[in-house]
């Protein structure tokens, strides 16, 4: 929602981490597409696509902020360490997407372990 509602903040962040300038229309469009993607992700729809895109997007943002992880004992850098377990969770969820049947709306078959 921040991409849609707070253009100035996000354009500064994107410029700082990705070294590109984006227009308000592009950033708003990206924010809307990301919101739709996350709703589908939360609903468990199109798992290979949505889980994969979330994994790729989180990987890109983690790599872009990787230099913030290098001085690990600086207080303001600790917030970036939360991206590492989240990246592991996204990766694990992508690998186990066929077994993820709890609380989603997809019509995939349940996998039973023997």
């Amino acid at each position: 929602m921040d991409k849609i509602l707070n253009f100035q903040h996000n354009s500064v962040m994107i410029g700082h981490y990705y070294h590109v300038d984006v227009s308000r229309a592009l950033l708003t469009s990206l924010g809307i597409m990301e919101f739709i993607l996350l709703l589908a992700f939360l609903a468990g729809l199109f798992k290979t696509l949505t889980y994969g895109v979330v994994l790729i997007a989180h990987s890109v943002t983690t790599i872009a902020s990787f230099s913030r992880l290098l001085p690990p004992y600086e207080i303001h850098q600790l917030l970036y360490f939360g991206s590492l377990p989240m990246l592991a969770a996204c990766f694990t969820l992508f690998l186990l997407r066929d077994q993820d049947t709890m609380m989603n709306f997809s019509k995939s078959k349940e996998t039973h372990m023997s």
Side-chain angles (χ1 to χ4, degrees):
M1 295 307 299
D2 199 39
K3 284 183 178 78
I4 299 168
L5 301 175
N6 194 355
F7 169 76
Q8 199 66 0
H9 173 257
N10 277 281
S11 64
V12 169
M13 296 297 289
I14 289 172
H16 178 75
Y17 286 105
Y18 303 105
H19 309 292
V20 295
D21 291 324
V22 293
S23 69
R24 181 181 295 269
L26 177 62
L27 195 57
T28 301
S29 298
L30 288 172
I32 291 168
M33 288 188 303
E34 185 176 330
F35 186 69
I36 292 168
L37 170 74
L38 290 176
L39 288 176
F41 173 78
L42 290 172
L45 300 173
F46 315 109
K47 291 180 187 179
T48 300
L49 176 68
T50 57
Y51 290 19
V53 172
V54 167
L55 172 61
I56 290 168
H58 190 68
S59 297
V60 168
T61 59
T62 301
I63 290 167
S65 62
F66 189 74
S67 65
R68 302 280 187 176
L69 298 171
L70 296 178
Y73 299 109
E74 294 180 22
I75 296 297
H76 65 282
Q77 308 295 10
L78 291 177
L79 290 174
Y80 291 94
F81 280 97
S83 65
L84 297 176
M86 183 62 190
L87 183 59
C90 288
F91 181 71
T92 303
L93 187 57
F94 180 77
L95 288 178
L96 299 174
R97 65 190 174 277
D98 292 332
Q99 286 78 35
D100 180 24
T101 58
M102 187 177 202
M103 296 178 56
N104 66 49
F105 299 103
S106 67
K107 299 200 188 265
S108 63
K109 297 184 290 185
E110 284 192 40
T111 305
H112 297 285
M113 302 185 91
S114 11

